[in-house]
Every structure is written in structure tokens, then in C-alpha cells.
Amino acid sequence: GEDVEQSLFLSVREGDSSVINCTYTDSSSTYLYWYKQEPGAGLQLLTYIFSNMDMKQDQRLTVLLNKKDKHLSLRIADTQTGDSAIYFCAAGSGNTPLVFGKGTRLSVIA
Amino acid sequence: GAVVSQHPSWVICKSGTSVKIECRSLDFQATTMFWYRQFPKQSLMLMATSNEGSKATYEQGVEKDKFLINHASLTLSTLTVTSAHPEDSSFYICSARGRWDTEAFFGQGTRLTVV
């Protein structure tokens, strides 16, 4: 089955760019997602990318997908303190449940 | 995006009692709903998948008699934790997906504390 891995912690200074990386194993995953979770809250969908795309940009967020290496990254430009949260990478296809990584805790230092 | 409302946001119950958590899709028909459990500082663990009108499919290791899932309508699924014990204390999150949707929308989660 699918296995999703991501680094557990990332610390950046306010105003810098943050890059959160993720790898997955199942090449048949057609959708790759990034979710944000703030303390005590549910998951908020940030963005997603289809497997036939290389890049997707949405305001401060840029998603890069290297399908050959099964590597996904989320870049947050001009990181703010409000971006501090846990970011989950998830992979899925069709109506199957999403498989989540363990989450990357992003800390933004003012 | 679509809205999924989960209720209650938090609940404290006594050991041995049952607790029901509701998950509602407010502006779309959720043909499939997923229930996840999240332990502190860990990822989401899928508990079960339910399609409207069908019995839920449970993941390995999840007791279906303890975690009762009902998906009787296209806008409501419920998870009942029966005879709750302290080890059932966790954060439970539902997500819902429409028939033609590519993404699943998540509820805000329910923090269950069993004392």
C-alpha cells in the first residue's frame, strides 16, 4: 500500500520561505494534497495537485511534484507567524481514503 | 470549499458510557465518509470508510463493535464510541467526499476525553 513520509520539524524566520518535503511510494496515486492543522483543530485543505502536473502556484503557496522520484514539496513564501502549524502531505486516488504523512511541525520565529 | 461540520468539538465522558459524534456535510452530498483517529503529535489513522446506505468498512485492528459507524443519509454520518475507556481518549476527525469530488473535506475534529 501507499506510504507517505515527511520530515517532522521545520523552523524558519518570519519573512523567509519555508519548504516542506514529502515522499510517497505508490506511483498510481493521482492526487497529492497538502493540509494544515492548527492546534486543537481539524484539517484545512491548502492545495492539491494532480499527478500529471509538475507545479501549482496559489498566492504564497507553490507545490512542486517530481513524479519520477515521487517527491512533493510545499513552498510557503514570506512565511508569517500565522503559518505556524502542522502540515500534512497526503496521497490518494479515486474514492480510496487518503494516506497521510506524519506531519511537519512548522515553527516561525519572529 | 465545501463545509463539513463535526459535533461536538470536545466531550468528556465517564468510563463505560457511550459517546456519539456527528459529521454533517452542509452544502454537498457526501457519498463517502471517512473516520480518522489522531493521537497526540501523530498522523491520522484511518478507522473506517462508509458509503451512504452501506455498512462501514473497518481498517484492520479497529473494533467494529466498539466504534459503531452509521451513514444513513447523504449528509450525516455518526461514530459512536461504545463503553468508552481512557485509552479511547483521542482526537477523532471525519472527512466527507462527494461522488465527483477529487478532494475530501474535513470536519473540525472532536476531542474525546474518557475519565
Side-chain angles (χ1 to χ4, degrees):
Chain A
E2 177 70 275
D3 188 26
V4 178
E5 298 282 341
Q6 53 185 125
S7 52
L8 296 182
F9 300 99
L10 177 65
S11 182
V12 299
R13 292 196 177 277
E14 191 174 20
D16 289 348
S17 292
S18 308
V19 179
I20 304 172
N21 294 300
C22 170
T23 58
Y24 60 100
T25 58
D26 190 349
S27 57
S28 66
S29 289
T30 50
Y31 307 107
L32 298 136
Y33 303 81
W34 284 103
Y35 287 89
K36 177 183 181 181
Q37 185 181 34
E38 298 187 25
L43 298 179
Q44 173 195 356
L45 177 66
L46 289 179
T47 186
Y48 65 90
I49 189 170
F50 294 113
S51 60
N52 62 356
M53 297 169 65
D54 298 323
M55 186 184 85
K56 182 178 181 181
Q57 187 159 0
D58 184 3
Q59 299 181 336
R60 292 192 298 125
L61 305 178
T62 303
V63 178
L64 295 178
L65 174 61
N66 182 327
K67 194 175 179 183
K68 175 176 170 289
D69 294 339
K70 300 190 194 67
H71 181 269
L72 183 74
S73 68
L74 173 69
R75 178 177 180 271
I76 305 173
D78 187 25
T79 311
Q80 304 296 308
T81 54
D83 295 325
S84 293
I86 300 176
Y87 291 80
F88 288 94
C89 169
S93 56
N95 275 326
T96 58
L98 298 180
V99 177
F100 288 84
K102 286 185 166 52
T104 299
R105 184 177 294 275
L106 173 64
S107 298
V108 182
I109 304 165
Chain B
V3 179
V4 174
S5 176
Q6 192 172 333
H7 177 81
S9 298
W10 58 270
V11 58
I12 301 173
C13 71
K14 289 187 176 181
S15 191
T17 61
S18 295
V19 174
K20 180 185 283 189
I21 302 169
E22 292 186 349
C23 181
R24 293 181 184 272
S25 57
L26 297 187
D27 52 2
F28 69 103
Q29 294 184 328
T31 51
T32 306
M33 284 195 176
F34 307 97
W35 285 94
Y36 295 86
R37 182 174 178 176
Q38 185 181 27
F39 292 97
K41 299 182 180 179
Q42 293 191 32
S43 187
L44 300 175
M45 181 192 80
L46 178 67
M47 298 175 67
T49 302
S50 72
N51 293 298
E52 186 264 338
S54 304
K55 287 186 178 179
T57 301
Y58 289 80
E59 295 299 301
Q60 193 172 5
V62 179
E63 299 175 60
K64 62 180 180 181
D65 294 329
K66 180 168 186 58
F67 299 99
L68 301 179
I69 291 172
N70 183 282
H71 189 172
S73 79
L74 285 170
T75 58
L76 174 65
S77 176
T78 60
L79 166 67
T80 303
V81 183
T82 62
S83 187
H85 288 100
E87 57 265 31
D88 298 325
S89 298
S90 191
F91 195 55
Y92 294 86
I93 302 178
C94 72
S95 74
R97 176 184 277 160
R99 187 182 304 278
W100 311 113
D101 286 335
T102 58
E103 56 203 71
F105 301 96
F106 284 80
Q108 67 268 45
T110 298
R111 182 164 300 283
L112 170 64
T113 303
V114 184
V115 298

